[in-house]
Amino acid sequence: MFARRNGSAWSVLAPAKLNLCLDILGRRFDGFHELESVMTPVALYDRLEYSPGSLGTGEPFSFAALPWRRDAPLAPAGDDNLACRAVRRLADAAGIEPQGRFLLRKSIPMAAGLGGGSSDAAAALVLANAAWGLGYDRPRLAGLAAELGSDVPFFLAGGPACCRGRGEIVEPLAALPRLPVVIVKPPQGVSTPAAYAALGLARGSAPEHAERRSGSSADRLTAAWRAGAWSRFRTLVVNRLQAAAEGLCSAVDAIAAAAARLDVLAHAMTGSGSAYFAICRSANHAHRIAACFRGQRLGTVYATATCP
Ligand code: C5P
């Protein structure tokens, strides 16, 4: 993730993400779930912009959010937005007052498992660091990112990665081929804490499948992705939060059933839902699959691809 400069203005593109696999290894004593996930950015973006603001307006810092696409969600403004809290957190760490006008242009659906809020927060750290000339290096920003949310360090690192711990331990995966994907977001969302709570795991316990687990499914998926062994994707693209999310949002189940009837390489829910993705063989194939999903009116459909 990088800040671009245009005169005194700056901007950062904040991508959405997919969890190509998401394994839950157990629930920790701090309440978070220990996980292992292969995550990748996808070419569906929010954009965060910065301008220094005019002197003498009496408003040194502001944070606003606007829809970017016509069908985009209305994001919270001010401190209700994680990206605004990220700006304030960085200013606090640097011992300065936050300043300038921040404008978030939203495209990524919310409560979708696409990581939009976390990506915006990572973008806010990168943008404010550049615009204010703080010169923080990435490890220092990553420390603040992990405080803001489990997925924020992944977006800060940029590119596909295997994420462990509660999500904040990021191992970048280099040189993986681009995957054409179709994403379907039903109108209903899923709350992340509710999806994790629906797993019903007591603190300090592990789910049954984790007890029987032999080796890392994330490592197997990464190896198949690197080798282009697409026939192995069908069994490796699995999300252990999906059943819990289906119990909270029947639309996920309906999309899963529709995806199972289509000729795609693999399909699963992303993150804690409610968005669902199908991996396709080519961009043309993705456009055909997107048309099939659109015909079924299951939600908003995006034909896109993973970012290297
Ligand atoms: O870290 P983040 O603020 O994104 O997490 C939101 C919520 O999701 C947490 O409060 C927790 O309920 C749940 N969560 C979890 N285990 C994780 C990540 C998130 O239980 N690894």
Side-chain angles (χ1 to χ4, degrees):
M1 196 175 256
F2 295 99
R4 284 158 228 250
R5 184 177 196 159
N6 183 3
S8 60
W10 292 81
S11 66
V12 176
L13 280 178
K17 58 88 174 156
L18 296 176
N19 298 80
L20 296 187
C21 65
L22 174 53
D23 201 1
I24 305 291
L25 307 183
R27 184 149 183 236
R28 312 188 324 192
F29 287 101
D30 66 3
F32 279 92
H33 292 75
E34 191 73 12
L35 55 81
E36 189 177 77
S37 180
V38 174
M39 292 166 63
T40 176
V42 284
L44 168 63
Y45 299 98
D46 291 341
R47 189 175 132 115
L48 186 62
E49 299 169 355
Y50 169 90
S51 57
S54 25
L55 283 175
T57 54
E59 195 193 337
F61 170 62
S62 65
F63 185 98
L66 284 175
W68 198 10
R69 292 165 54 115
R70 222 168 355 112
D71 55 3
L74 207 56
D79 283 338
D80 288 340
N81 196 301
L82 186 62
C84 182
R85 296 206 293 277
V87 173
R88 287 198 190 278
R89 182 69 192 85
L90 180 63
D92 193 42
I96 59 171
E97 283 298 314
Q99 62 90 26
R101 278 184 285 178
F102 290 78
L103 176 61
L104 176 61
R105 297 188 187 274
K106 277 304 285 181
S107 290
I108 304 171
M110 296 187 291
L114 291 167
S118 303
S119 190
D120 299 342
L125 292 177
V126 170
L127 188 63
N129 184 44
W132 299 342
L134 296 178
Y136 273 37
D137 61 15
R138 288 297 161 126
R140 206 155 165 207
L141 288 181
L144 298 178
E147 282 178 28
L148 290 161
S150 306
D151 287 344
V152 184
F154 159 77
F155 286 106
L156 189 69
C162 183
C163 299
R164 295 190 168 88
R166 63 180 170 89
E168 87 288 14
I169 302 169
V170 181
E171 178 200 337
L173 302 170
L176 289 163
R178 231 171 230 268
L179 300 172
V181 291
V182 174
I183 299 168
V184 185
K185 165 65 177 65
Q188 306 84 343
V190 172
S191 126
T192 301
Y196 276 102
L199 290 172
L201 287 177
R203 287 174 193 238
S205 74
E208 217 180 284
H209 77 266
E211 308 278 8
R212 289 184 270 106
R213 188 171 178 264
S214 65
S216 153
S217 46
D219 288 348
R220 285 197 292 272
L221 176 66
T222 305
W225 189 0
R226 185 152 283 137
W230 310 127
S231 61
R232 302 221 296 269
F233 261 46
R234 196 170 287 275
T235 51
L236 293 172
V237 172
V238 173
N239 182 334
R240 295 285 184 185
L241 276 176
Q242 188 169 325
E246 282 173 357
L248 297 170
C249 177
S250 58
V252 176
D253 200 19
I255 300 168
R261 290 192 294 271
L262 294 170
D263 167 34
V264 294
L265 294 179
H267 56 91
M269 188 183 80
T270 177
S272 52
S274 59
Y276 204 91
F277 65 95
I279 304 176
C280 300
R281 284 186 293 273
S282 66
N284 274 345
H285 183 217
H287 285 293
R288 285 200 303 279
I289 294 296
C292 293
F293 277 121
R294 283 194 188 102
Q296 299 188 58
R297 301 191 179 282
L298 293 161
T300 309
V301 178
Y302 308 84
T304 178
T306 64
C307 309

